Amino acid sequence: MTEAQVETKQFQAETRKVLDIVINSLYTERDIFVRELISNAADAMEKYRHQSLVDKPEFDNHMPLEINIDCDDKTHTLTVTDTGIGMTREELETNLGTIAHSGSGNFLEELAEAAKKDVNLIGQFGVGFYSVFMAAKKVRVQTRSWDGSEGHEWESDGGGSYTVKPCEGLHRGTKIIIELKDDAQEYGTKFTLERIITQYSTFVPFPVKVEGKTVNTVQAIWSRSKSEITEEEYTEFYKFIGNAVDEPLYQLHFSADAPLAINSLLYVPQENFETLGMGRMQPGVNLYCQKVLIDQHSENILPEWLRFLKGVVDSEDLPLNISRQTLQDNALVMKLRKVITKRFIKFLAEEAGKDSEKYQKFWKTFGIFIKEGVTTDFEYQKDLGKLLRFESSAGESGQMISLDEYIDRMKDSQENIYYINGPSRSAIEYGPYVEMFKKREVEILYTLEPIDDFVLNHLGEYEGKKLLSADRADLRLPEKESDAEKDETTEQGKKLEAEKITELCSYLKEVLGERVKEVKSSDRLVDSPAMIVNVDGHMTSSMERIMQAQGGEANLAMAGKKDLEINPASSLMKKIVGLKDTDSNFAKDIAEQVFDNAMIQAGLLVDSQQMVNRSYRILEHVAGEE
Ligand code: ADP
Ligand code: MG
């Protein structure tokens, strides 16, 4: 071998940091490196199995697909050999020298955080291979690609660099030779290895042999009949497929023969990894055909908003030699996706009916994905309406209800479903928008998350009932038959006369100018002097707030059209009528302050400096009179 063929390379900077994190923060959980190596070996064999169906390779095609683990407790070495797809020189350098995720911003900080919190999160990041350096002084990776090209050996001590050189006489696949650290010698013993494999790798779909003896039972649990599978087996399989240590929140084992042959086993985890600061999740469901893995972390078999699920889908109807590229527009895959997605939505609805407390836990953790589905996936939007949960004026704080429950309680005279967004339950309940709802005893949903109004707006209607935000200008509430007349007078007394109302409205419009489209007398306010309503029925104040937050100043100009509705029975409003002729500056300040207050109650932006200056003027005026 010439010297030119031996290359010493530096790890990419990110890789060095990952190595550092893995070696220094995870060493208490060293066992997992065995699991990571076995899972890489199994992945490589799944890839070969699929490749051989597509390409019929000839090189070394007689070799059985299995993982061999050998150890020597004299020399303290451990060897993991697979007959998988192997790696070419380029693949060696990209796969074991760089990190695919490094592009995503603060990935490393997130990894460091996750590593501190829970070592098992590490599996989710796909930095599995480097975990070998928790136990290794030195690692050699000898590998030869399935295409029969020249084999290579990669070597590193986990410091800053590695070497790559050609290596003769290799079979297809990869052999990882680990020289154990002095304090990690237990990994050179059969006993320890068998213990770890039975703990973590029972479901690896290939024989795993330690010193020639198979230590796992190879089985595709999802294709067995439900009655034969124990709860423990289901949980163990979840741990294997989801890289998890806990139990799943829900599991659905679903089989069908017609119109499509499907065996699927889906799990909902306990945690939402996206909110644990891990960035966007990879899909967690793998697609199989006759127990052969066709597409790992499949983007195609389920819609994106179900990426939090873990598990497998197996269908005998798929052609075994389908390539990953053609999966995307394969009609059969689309059909499978539809059947499974609908089944899963139905499953969740059933579970919610059976145990609403458990469903609340699901909703708190994964509701955000269901909402994402409503806003992004027209195909399942209507089905997903059933799964939505919101707080409501009829319930206690923290209690969530479904749209179905809301409809069940609706009075005969009510045609629509109403909702209002606010930062908290109490902000909504003390605000102007629910006053008439309370008075007429009409239930209203409280949407407490910023995204909720987009969700309900996308949904548009549910079971034939329109979904309407209470800050719409054109809202007409159903009458409360018994005391329709009482609306003539409010708690605060008699309304202004019609003539005065018109005068007041045009005065306010003059003061507020372009800030409002119209100023109108309200038939919805009970106690508050005024409120902002949106003329464009599709835009709620909450949606506008989000868009302002995203676009800053530029979007202020694009704000939706608003009306100011005033309460003709409010004593403050009555006072403005007189003041505008006797003390016009003061009347103008009050009018503008009323407008700003209403904007604030709608959750919209006001010019705070102007408002503070004005309120000092008002205070001074009031104090001066004393
Ligand atoms: P992940 O398995 O999540 O991709 P790893 O750090 O475990 O991340 O492995 C990095 C990459 O190295 C793998 O994606 C694969 O391409 C390659 N690799 C690792 N082990 C093997 C192996 N035994 N055979 C073939 N390729 C492997
Ligand atoms: Mg891996």
Side-chain angles (χ1 to χ4, degrees), residues 36-37 39-45 47 82 84-87 91 95-96 98 101 123 125-130 141 143 173-176 282 297:
E36 295 300 329
L37 294 183
S39 102
N40 284 350
D43 287 353
M45 292 198 292
K47 284 181 198 157
D82 67 65
I85 196 157
M87 285 178 269
E91 285 166 345
N95 296 342
L96 305 186
T98 61
H101 295 272
F125 277 96
V127 290
F129 172 77
Y130 301 108
V141 178
T143 185
T174 303
K175 178 186 286 227
I176 299 180
Q282 250 190 328
H297 302 299

PDB file of all heavy atoms in Angstrom, residues 36-37 39-45 47 82 84-87 91 95-96 98 101 123 125-130 141 143 173-176 282 297, ligand 1:
ATOM      1  N   GLU A  36     -26.572   0.694  19.963  1.00  0.00           N
ATOM      2  CA  GLU A  36     -26.388   1.541  18.772  1.00  0.00           C
ATOM      3  C   GLU A  36     -25.662   0.797  17.660  1.00  0.00           C
ATOM      4  O   GLU A  36     -26.023   0.906  16.489  1.00  0.00           O
ATOM      5  CB  GLU A  36     -25.626   2.819  19.136  1.00  0.00           C
ATOM      6  CG  GLU A  36     -26.366   3.757  20.077  1.00  0.00           C
ATOM      7  CD  GLU A  36     -27.696   4.257  19.520  1.00  0.00           C
ATOM      8  OE1 GLU A  36     -27.818   4.402  18.284  1.00  0.00           O
ATOM      9  OE2 GLU A  36     -28.622   4.486  20.318  1.00  0.00           O
ATOM     10  N   LEU A  37     -24.628   0.040  18.017  1.00  0.00           N
ATOM     11  CA  LEU A  37     -23.877  -0.686  16.985  1.00  0.00           C
ATOM     12  C   LEU A  37     -24.739  -1.781  16.361  1.00  0.00           C
ATOM     13  O   LEU A  37     -24.710  -1.995  15.150  1.00  0.00           O
ATOM     14  CB  LEU A  37     -22.599  -1.287  17.581  1.00  0.00           C
ATOM     15  CG  LEU A  37     -21.551  -0.279  18.052  1.00  0.00           C
ATOM     16  CD1 LEU A  37     -20.305  -1.007  18.539  1.00  0.00           C
ATOM     17  CD2 LEU A  37     -21.179   0.707  16.954  1.00  0.00           C
ATOM     18  N   SER A  39     -27.977  -1.783  16.195  1.00  0.00           N
ATOM     19  CA  SER A  39     -29.036  -1.204  15.368  1.00  0.00           C
ATOM     20  C   SER A  39     -28.469  -0.696  14.041  1.00  0.00           C
ATOM     21  O   SER A  39     -29.118  -0.813  12.995  1.00  0.00           O
ATOM     22  CB  SER A  39     -29.838  -0.156  16.146  1.00  0.00           C
ATOM     23  OG  SER A  39     -29.465   1.138  15.787  1.00  0.00           O
ATOM     24  N   ASN A  40     -27.247  -0.187  14.049  1.00  0.00           N
ATOM     25  CA  ASN A  40     -26.622   0.189  12.768  1.00  0.00           C
ATOM     26  C   ASN A  40     -26.398  -1.027  11.882  1.00  0.00           C
ATOM     27  O   ASN A  40     -26.608  -0.976  10.670  1.00  0.00           O
ATOM     28  CB  ASN A  40     -25.277   0.879  13.014  1.00  0.00           C
ATOM     29  CG  ASN A  40     -25.453   2.314  13.483  1.00  0.00           C
ATOM     30  OD1 ASN A  40     -26.551   2.852  13.457  1.00  0.00           O
ATOM     31  ND2 ASN A  40     -24.358   2.922  13.911  1.00  0.00           N
ATOM     32  N   ALA A  41     -25.966  -2.129  12.496  1.00  0.00           N
ATOM     33  CA  ALA A  41     -25.727  -3.358  11.733  1.00  0.00           C
ATOM     34  C   ALA A  41     -27.038  -3.853  11.123  1.00  0.00           C
ATOM     35  O   ALA A  41     -27.092  -4.243   9.949  1.00  0.00           O
ATOM     36  CB  ALA A  41     -25.120  -4.421  12.642  1.00  0.00           C
ATOM     37  N   ALA A  42     -28.101  -3.803  11.931  1.00  0.00           N
ATOM     38  CA  ALA A  42     -29.404  -4.261  11.434  1.00  0.00           C
ATOM     39  C   ALA A  42     -29.893  -3.343  10.307  1.00  0.00           C
ATOM     40  O   ALA A  42     -30.382  -3.826   9.279  1.00  0.00           O
ATOM     41  CB  ALA A  42     -30.420  -4.292  12.570  1.00  0.00           C
ATOM     42  N   ASP A  43     -29.721  -2.033  10.486  1.00  0.00           N
ATOM     43  CA  ASP A  43     -30.108  -1.093   9.418  1.00  0.00           C
ATOM     44  C   ASP A  43     -29.377  -1.440   8.117  1.00  0.00           C
ATOM     45  O   ASP A  43     -29.966  -1.429   7.035  1.00  0.00           O
ATOM     46  CB  ASP A  43     -29.729   0.349   9.787  1.00  0.00           C
ATOM     47  CG  ASP A  43     -30.620   0.928  10.871  1.00  0.00           C
ATOM     48  OD1 ASP A  43     -31.612   0.258  11.238  1.00  0.00           O
ATOM     49  OD2 ASP A  43     -30.321   2.038  11.356  1.00  0.00           O
ATOM     50  N   ALA A  44     -28.069  -1.697   8.255  1.00  0.00           N
ATOM     51  CA  ALA A  44     -27.257  -1.974   7.061  1.00  0.00           C
ATOM     52  C   ALA A  44     -27.743  -3.245   6.367  1.00  0.00           C
ATOM     53  O   ALA A  44     -27.716  -3.345   5.138  1.00  0.00           O
ATOM     54  CB  ALA A  44     -25.783  -2.101   7.451  1.00  0.00           C
ATOM     55  N   MET A  45     -28.216  -4.211   7.138  1.00  0.00           N
ATOM     56  CA  MET A  45     -28.702  -5.448   6.524  1.00  0.00           C
ATOM     57  C   MET A  45     -30.092  -5.270   5.919  1.00  0.00           C
ATOM     58  O   MET A  45     -30.400  -5.850   4.882  1.00  0.00           O
ATOM     59  CB  MET A  45     -28.651  -6.577   7.541  1.00  0.00           C
ATOM     60  CG  MET A  45     -27.184  -6.894   7.863  1.00  0.00           C
ATOM     61  SD  MET A  45     -26.914  -8.489   8.639  1.00  0.00           S
ATOM     62  CE  MET A  45     -27.685  -8.204  10.185  1.00  0.00           C
ATOM     63  N   LYS A  47     -30.985  -2.570   4.587  1.00  0.00           N
ATOM     64  CA  LYS A  47     -30.710  -1.868   3.327  1.00  0.00           C
ATOM     65  C   LYS A  47     -30.240  -2.860   2.262  1.00  0.00           C
ATOM     66  O   LYS A  47     -30.615  -2.766   1.100  1.00  0.00           O
ATOM     67  CB  LYS A  47     -29.655  -0.779   3.530  1.00  0.00           C
ATOM     68  CG  LYS A  47     -30.190   0.460   4.223  1.00  0.00           C
ATOM     69  CD  LYS A  47     -29.094   1.524   4.371  1.00  0.00           C
ATOM     70  CE  LYS A  47     -29.485   2.562   5.421  1.00  0.00           C
ATOM     71  NZ  LYS A  47     -28.311   3.253   5.979  1.00  0.00           N
ATOM     72  N   ASP A  82     -21.251  -7.383  10.597  1.00  0.00           N
ATOM     73  CA  ASP A  82     -22.523  -7.595   9.903  1.00  0.00           C
ATOM     74  C   ASP A  82     -22.275  -7.876   8.436  1.00  0.00           C
ATOM     75  O   ASP A  82     -21.184  -7.618   7.919  1.00  0.00           O
ATOM     76  CB  ASP A  82     -23.458  -6.389  10.075  1.00  0.00           C
ATOM     77  CG  ASP A  82     -22.955  -5.143   9.382  1.00  0.00           C
ATOM     78  OD1 ASP A  82     -22.867  -5.121   8.137  1.00  0.00           O
ATOM     79  OD2 ASP A  82     -22.658  -4.142  10.093  1.00  0.00           O
ATOM     80  N   GLY A  84     -24.153  -6.562   6.047  1.00  0.00           N
ATOM     81  CA  GLY A  84     -25.060  -5.573   5.469  1.00  0.00           C
ATOM     82  C   GLY A  84     -24.521  -4.929   4.213  1.00  0.00           C
ATOM     83  O   GLY A  84     -23.651  -5.475   3.529  1.00  0.00           O
ATOM     84  N   ILE A  85     -24.985  -3.742   3.962  1.00  0.00           N
ATOM     85  CA  ILE A  85     -24.727  -3.065   2.699  1.00  0.00           C
ATOM     86  C   ILE A  85     -23.299  -2.527   2.579  1.00  0.00           C
ATOM     87  O   ILE A  85     -22.795  -2.286   1.496  1.00  0.00           O
ATOM     88  CB  ILE A  85     -25.771  -1.932   2.518  1.00  0.00           C
ATOM     89  CG1 ILE A  85     -25.830  -1.453   1.095  1.00  0.00           C
ATOM     90  CG2 ILE A  85     -25.516  -0.773   3.489  1.00  0.00           C
ATOM     91  CD1 ILE A  85     -27.129  -0.789   0.740  1.00  0.00           C
ATOM     92  N   GLY A  86     -22.604  -2.387   3.741  1.00  0.00           N
ATOM     93  CA  GLY A  86     -21.230  -1.895   3.722  1.00  0.00           C
ATOM     94  C   GLY A  86     -21.125  -0.437   3.321  1.00  0.00           C
ATOM     95  O   GLY A  86     -22.137   0.228   3.100  1.00  0.00           O
ATOM     96  N   MET A  87     -19.874   0.036   3.254  1.00  0.00           N
ATOM     97  CA  MET A  87     -19.679   1.444   2.873  1.00  0.00           C
ATOM     98  C   MET A  87     -18.517   1.568   1.902  1.00  0.00           C
ATOM     99  O   MET A  87     -17.516   0.867   2.034  1.00  0.00           O
ATOM    100  CB  MET A  87     -19.377   2.297   4.119  1.00  0.00           C
ATOM    101  CG  MET A  87     -20.570   2.580   4.999  1.00  0.00           C
ATOM    102  SD  MET A  87     -20.145   3.539   6.476  1.00  0.00           S
ATOM    103  CE  MET A  87     -19.789   2.237   7.648  1.00  0.00           C
ATOM    104  N   GLU A  91     -18.515   6.998   1.443  1.00  0.00           N
ATOM    105  CA  GLU A  91     -19.556   6.819   2.453  1.00  0.00           C
ATOM    106  C   GLU A  91     -18.951   6.754   3.855  1.00  0.00           C
ATOM    107  O   GLU A  91     -19.486   7.322   4.806  1.00  0.00           O
ATOM    108  CB  GLU A  91     -20.374   5.549   2.158  1.00  0.00           C
ATOM    109  CG  GLU A  91     -21.339   5.747   1.004  1.00  0.00           C
ATOM    110  CD  GLU A  91     -21.924   4.448   0.452  1.00  0.00           C
ATOM    111  OE1 GLU A  91     -21.391   3.354   0.760  1.00  0.00           O
ATOM    112  OE2 GLU A  91     -22.891   4.540  -0.309  1.00  0.00           O
ATOM    113  N   ASN A  95     -20.248   9.330   6.489  1.00  0.00           N
ATOM    114  CA  ASN A  95     -21.063   8.769   7.567  1.00  0.00           C
ATOM    115  C   ASN A  95     -20.359   8.797   8.919  1.00  0.00           C
ATOM    116  O   ASN A  95     -20.999   8.995   9.943  1.00  0.00           O
ATOM    117  CB  ASN A  95     -21.474   7.327   7.252  1.00  0.00           C
ATOM    118  CG  ASN A  95     -22.372   7.248   6.027  1.00  0.00           C
ATOM    119  OD1 ASN A  95     -22.944   8.251   5.623  1.00  0.00           O
ATOM    120  ND2 ASN A  95     -22.476   6.086   5.433  1.00  0.00           N
ATOM    121  N   LEU A  96     -19.055   8.570   8.915  1.00  0.00           N
ATOM    122  CA  LEU A  96     -18.359   8.504  10.203  1.00  0.00           C
ATOM    123  C   LEU A  96     -17.420   9.676  10.439  1.00  0.00           C
ATOM    124  O   LEU A  96     -16.610   9.651  11.371  1.00  0.00           O
ATOM    125  CB  LEU A  96     -17.581   7.178  10.322  1.00  0.00           C
ATOM    126  CG  LEU A  96     -18.402   5.899  10.111  1.00  0.00           C
ATOM    127  CD1 LEU A  96     -17.545   4.671  10.392  1.00  0.00           C
ATOM    128  CD2 LEU A  96     -19.647   5.872  10.980  1.00  0.00           C
ATOM    129  N   THR A  98     -18.667  13.128   9.543  1.00  0.00           N
ATOM    130  CA  THR A  98     -19.486  14.340   9.634  1.00  0.00           C
ATOM    131  C   THR A  98     -20.809  13.983  10.287  1.00  0.00           C
ATOM    132  O   THR A  98     -21.117  12.820  10.482  1.00  0.00           O
ATOM    133  CB  THR A  98     -19.788  14.906   8.233  1.00  0.00           C
ATOM    134  OG1 THR A  98     -20.499  13.921   7.506  1.00  0.00           O
ATOM    135  CG2 THR A  98     -18.528  15.282   7.502  1.00  0.00           C
ATOM    136  N   HIS A 101     -26.954  16.197  10.839  1.00  0.00           N
ATOM    137  CA  HIS A 101     -27.833  17.202  11.420  1.00  0.00           C
ATOM    138  C   HIS A 101     -27.162  18.551  11.622  1.00  0.00           C
ATOM    139  O   HIS A 101     -27.814  19.493  12.012  1.00  0.00           O
ATOM    140  CB  HIS A 101     -28.311  16.762  12.802  1.00  0.00           C
ATOM    141  CG  HIS A 101     -29.165  15.553  12.781  1.00  0.00           C
ATOM    142  ND1 HIS A 101     -30.521  15.616  12.616  1.00  0.00           N
ATOM    143  CD2 HIS A 101     -28.850  14.245  12.898  1.00  0.00           C
ATOM    144  CE1 HIS A 101     -31.007  14.391  12.643  1.00  0.00           C
ATOM    145  NE2 HIS A 101     -30.016  13.545  12.815  1.00  0.00           N
ATOM    146  N   GLY A 123     -30.511   8.603  21.295  1.00  0.00           N
ATOM    147  CA  GLY A 123     -30.866   7.752  20.166  1.00  0.00           C
ATOM    148  C   GLY A 123     -31.661   8.510  19.129  1.00  0.00           C
ATOM    149  O   GLY A 123     -31.549   8.271  17.931  1.00  0.00           O
ATOM    150  N   PHE A 125     -31.295  11.454  18.195  1.00  0.00           N
ATOM    151  CA  PHE A 125     -30.494  12.400  17.431  1.00  0.00           C
ATOM    152  C   PHE A 125     -29.687  11.758  16.310  1.00  0.00           C
ATOM    153  O   PHE A 125     -29.103  12.440  15.504  1.00  0.00           O
ATOM    154  CB  PHE A 125     -29.515  13.130  18.351  1.00  0.00           C
ATOM    155  CG  PHE A 125     -30.122  14.286  19.064  1.00  0.00           C
ATOM    156  CD1 PHE A 125     -30.602  14.150  20.350  1.00  0.00           C
ATOM    157  CD2 PHE A 125     -30.223  15.516  18.446  1.00  0.00           C
ATOM    158  CE1 PHE A 125     -31.165  15.221  21.005  1.00  0.00           C
ATOM    159  CE2 PHE A 125     -30.782  16.589  19.092  1.00  0.00           C
ATOM    160  CZ  PHE A 125     -31.255  16.444  20.381  1.00  0.00           C
ATOM    161  N   GLY A 126     -29.605  10.462  16.305  1.00  0.00           N
ATOM    162  CA  GLY A 126     -28.821   9.822  15.263  1.00  0.00           C
ATOM    163  C   GLY A 126     -27.340  10.106  15.373  1.00  0.00           C
ATOM    164  O   GLY A 126     -26.679  10.372  14.388  1.00  0.00           O
ATOM    165  N   VAL A 127     -26.794  10.116  16.563  1.00  0.00           N
ATOM    166  CA  VAL A 127     -25.352  10.221  16.727  1.00  0.00           C
ATOM    167  C   VAL A 127     -24.856   8.912  17.302  1.00  0.00           C
ATOM    168  O   VAL A 127     -23.839   8.834  17.943  1.00  0.00           O
ATOM    169  CB  VAL A 127     -24.938  11.367  17.652  1.00  0.00           C
ATOM    170  CG1 VAL A 127     -25.192  12.680  16.990  1.00  0.00           C
ATOM    171  CG2 VAL A 127     -25.651  11.270  18.972  1.00  0.00           C
ATOM    172  N   GLY A 128     -25.649   7.879  17.032  1.00  0.00           N
ATOM    173  CA  GLY A 128     -25.421   6.572  17.630  1.00  0.00           C
ATOM    174  C   GLY A 128     -23.998   6.053  17.544  1.00  0.00           C
ATOM    175  O   GLY A 128     -23.447   5.604  18.544  1.00  0.00           O
ATOM    176  N   PHE A 129     -23.414   6.103  16.376  1.00  0.00           N
ATOM    177  CA  PHE A 129     -22.113   5.455  16.214  1.00  0.00           C
ATOM    178  C   PHE A 129     -21.071   5.993  17.189  1.00  0.00           C
ATOM    179  O   PHE A 129     -20.291   5.242  17.774  1.00  0.00           O
ATOM    180  CB  PHE A 129     -21.610   5.616  14.772  1.00  0.00           C
ATOM    181  CG  PHE A 129     -20.201   5.139  14.599  1.00  0.00           C
ATOM    182  CD1 PHE A 129     -19.909   3.783  14.523  1.00  0.00           C
ATOM    183  CD2 PHE A 129     -19.144   6.053  14.562  1.00  0.00           C
ATOM    184  CE1 PHE A 129     -18.597   3.335  14.403  1.00  0.00           C
ATOM    185  CE2 PHE A 129     -17.830   5.614  14.449  1.00  0.00           C
ATOM    186  CZ  PHE A 129     -17.558   4.257  14.363  1.00  0.00           C
ATOM    187  N   TYR A 130     -21.068   7.303  17.382  1.00  0.00           N
ATOM    188  CA  TYR A 130     -20.018   7.902  18.213  1.00  0.00           C
ATOM    189  C   TYR A 130     -20.069   7.461  19.670  1.00  0.00           C
ATOM    190  O   TYR A 130     -19.120   7.637  20.414  1.00  0.00           O
ATOM    191  CB  TYR A 130     -20.070   9.435  18.116  1.00  0.00           C
ATOM    192  CG  TYR A 130     -19.881   9.907  16.691  1.00  0.00           C
ATOM    193  CD1 TYR A 130     -20.939  10.427  15.968  1.00  0.00           C
ATOM    194  CD2 TYR A 130     -18.649   9.788  16.069  1.00  0.00           C
ATOM    195  CE1 TYR A 130     -20.781  10.822  14.649  1.00  0.00           C
ATOM    196  CE2 TYR A 130     -18.475  10.173  14.753  1.00  0.00           C
ATOM    197  CZ  TYR A 130     -19.542  10.690  14.046  1.00  0.00           C
ATOM    198  OH  TYR A 130     -19.372  11.064  12.742  1.00  0.00           O
ATOM    199  N   VAL A 141     -12.973   0.373  11.816  1.00  0.00           N
ATOM    200  CA  VAL A 141     -14.163  -0.031  11.064  1.00  0.00           C
ATOM    201  C   VAL A 141     -13.690  -0.545   9.713  1.00  0.00           C
ATOM    202  O   VAL A 141     -13.154   0.215   8.915  1.00  0.00           O
ATOM    203  CB  VAL A 141     -15.140   1.152  10.869  1.00  0.00           C
ATOM    204  CG1 VAL A 141     -16.344   0.726  10.034  1.00  0.00           C
ATOM    205  CG2 VAL A 141     -15.582   1.721  12.202  1.00  0.00           C
ATOM    206  N   THR A 143     -14.757  -2.172   6.217  1.00  0.00           N
ATOM    207  CA  THR A 143     -16.039  -2.273   5.508  1.00  0.00           C
ATOM    208  C   THR A 143     -15.862  -2.402   4.000  1.00  0.00           C
ATOM    209  O   THR A 143     -14.905  -1.876   3.419  1.00  0.00           O
ATOM    210  CB  THR A 143     -16.929  -1.053   5.860  1.00  0.00           C
ATOM    211  OG1 THR A 143     -18.202  -1.220   5.261  1.00  0.00           O
ATOM    212  CG2 THR A 143     -16.324   0.261   5.387  1.00  0.00           C
ATOM    213  N   GLY A 173     -20.034  -6.066   3.817  1.00  0.00           N
ATOM    214  CA  GLY A 173     -20.508  -5.709   5.152  1.00  0.00           C
ATOM    215  C   GLY A 173     -19.466  -4.974   5.966  1.00  0.00           C
ATOM    216  O   GLY A 173     -18.476  -4.477   5.424  1.00  0.00           O
ATOM    217  N   THR A 174     -19.707  -4.904   7.257  1.00  0.00           N
ATOM    218  CA  THR A 174     -18.891  -4.061   8.114  1.00  0.00           C
ATOM    219  C   THR A 174     -18.485  -4.809   9.382  1.00  0.00           C
ATOM    220  O   THR A 174     -19.294  -5.514   9.977  1.00  0.00           O
ATOM    221  CB  THR A 174     -19.700  -2.799   8.516  1.00  0.00           C
ATOM    222  OG1 THR A 174     -20.116  -2.135   7.325  1.00  0.00           O
ATOM    223  CG2 THR A 174     -18.873  -1.850   9.350  1.00  0.00           C
ATOM    224  N   LYS A 175     -17.217  -4.622   9.728  1.00  0.00           N
ATOM    225  CA  LYS A 175     -16.723  -5.216  10.973  1.00  0.00           C
ATOM    226  C   LYS A 175     -16.184  -4.078  11.834  1.00  0.00           C
ATOM    227  O   LYS A 175     -15.361  -3.283  11.368  1.00  0.00           O
ATOM    228  CB  LYS A 175     -15.616  -6.224  10.660  1.00  0.00           C
ATOM    229  CG  LYS A 175     -14.994  -6.870  11.900  1.00  0.00           C
ATOM    230  CD  LYS A 175     -13.812  -7.750  11.522  1.00  0.00           C
ATOM    231  CE  LYS A 175     -14.311  -9.030  10.882  1.00  0.00           C
ATOM    232  NZ  LYS A 175     -13.728 -10.263  11.365  1.00  0.00           N
ATOM    233  N   ILE A 176     -16.677  -3.992  13.057  1.00  0.00           N
ATOM    234  CA  ILE A 176     -16.219  -2.928  13.938  1.00  0.00           C
ATOM    235  C   ILE A 176     -15.406  -3.552  15.062  1.00  0.00           C
ATOM    236  O   ILE A 176     -15.913  -4.394  15.811  1.00  0.00           O
ATOM    237  CB  ILE A 176     -17.425  -2.140  14.469  1.00  0.00           C
ATOM    238  CG1 ILE A 176     -18.155  -1.532  13.265  1.00  0.00           C
ATOM    239  CG2 ILE A 176     -16.997  -1.047  15.445  1.00  0.00           C
ATOM    240  CD1 ILE A 176     -19.361  -0.721  13.571  1.00  0.00           C
ATOM    241  N   GLN A 282     -38.199  13.373  13.014  1.00  0.00           N
ATOM    242  CA  GLN A 282     -38.279  12.504  11.845  1.00  0.00           C
ATOM    243  C   GLN A 282     -39.520  11.642  12.015  1.00  0.00           C
ATOM    244  O   GLN A 282     -39.852  11.296  13.146  1.00  0.00           O
ATOM    245  CB  GLN A 282     -37.105  11.541  11.926  1.00  0.00           C
ATOM    246  CG  GLN A 282     -36.018  11.719  10.947  1.00  0.00           C
ATOM    247  CD  GLN A 282     -35.064  10.524  11.033  1.00  0.00           C
ATOM    248  OE1 GLN A 282     -34.856   9.931  12.079  1.00  0.00           O
ATOM    249  NE2 GLN A 282     -34.492  10.204   9.906  1.00  0.00           N
ATOM    250  N   HIS A 297     -38.272   5.254   8.684  1.00  0.00           N
ATOM    251  CA  HIS A 297     -38.718   6.626   8.961  1.00  0.00           C
ATOM    252  C   HIS A 297     -39.478   7.163   7.763  1.00  0.00           C
ATOM    253  O   HIS A 297     -39.149   8.211   7.212  1.00  0.00           O
ATOM    254  CB  HIS A 297     -37.533   7.539   9.263  1.00  0.00           C
ATOM    255  CG  HIS A 297     -36.705   7.070  10.408  1.00  0.00           C
ATOM    256  ND1 HIS A 297     -37.215   6.935  11.674  1.00  0.00           N
ATOM    257  CD2 HIS A 297     -35.413   6.679  10.483  1.00  0.00           C
ATOM    258  CE1 HIS A 297     -36.274   6.491  12.480  1.00  0.00           C
ATOM    259  NE2 HIS A 297     -35.174   6.320  11.791  1.00  0.00           N
TER     260      HIS A 297
HETATM  261  P1  ADP B   1     -27.806   6.772  12.335  1.00  0.00           P
HETATM  262  O1  ADP B   1     -27.789   5.296  12.516  1.00  0.00           O
HETATM  263  O2  ADP B   1     -28.883   7.424  13.139  1.00  0.00           O
HETATM  264  O3  ADP B   1     -27.832   7.206  10.909  1.00  0.00           O
HETATM  265  P2  ADP B   1     -25.159   6.568  13.366  1.00  0.00           P
HETATM  266  O4  ADP B   1     -24.208   7.541  13.996  1.00  0.00           O
HETATM  267  O5  ADP B   1     -25.516   5.408  14.201  1.00  0.00           O
HETATM  268  O6  ADP B   1     -26.444   7.367  12.941  1.00  0.00           O
HETATM  269  O7  ADP B   1     -24.533   6.067  12.023  1.00  0.00           O
HETATM  270  C1  ADP B   1     -24.140   7.010  11.042  1.00  0.00           C
HETATM  271  C2  ADP B   1     -24.155   6.409   9.668  1.00  0.00           C
HETATM  272  O8  ADP B   1     -23.041   5.537   9.497  1.00  0.00           O
HETATM  273  C3  ADP B   1     -25.348   5.539   9.359  1.00  0.00           C
HETATM  274  O9  ADP B   1     -26.425   6.317   8.909  1.00  0.00           O
HETATM  275  C4  ADP B   1     -24.814   4.629   8.262  1.00  0.00           C
HETATM  276  O10 ADP B   1     -24.883   5.279   7.010  1.00  0.00           O
HETATM  277  C5  ADP B   1     -23.366   4.476   8.631  1.00  0.00           C
HETATM  278  N1  ADP B   1     -23.141   3.209   9.335  1.00  0.00           N
HETATM  279  C6  ADP B   1     -22.969   3.042  10.655  1.00  0.00           C
HETATM  280  N2  ADP B   1     -22.791   1.744  10.951  1.00  0.00           N
HETATM  281  C7  ADP B   1     -22.867   1.066   9.778  1.00  0.00           C
HETATM  282  C8  ADP B   1     -22.774  -0.335   9.405  1.00  0.00           C
HETATM  283  N3  ADP B   1     -22.572  -1.277  10.311  1.00  0.00           N
HETATM  284  N4  ADP B   1     -22.877  -0.629   8.082  1.00  0.00           N
HETATM  285  C9  ADP B   1     -23.092   0.334   7.164  1.00  0.00           C
HETATM  286  N5  ADP B   1     -23.201   1.638   7.455  1.00  0.00           N
HETATM  287  C10 ADP B   1     -23.091   2.010   8.741  1.00  0.00           C
END
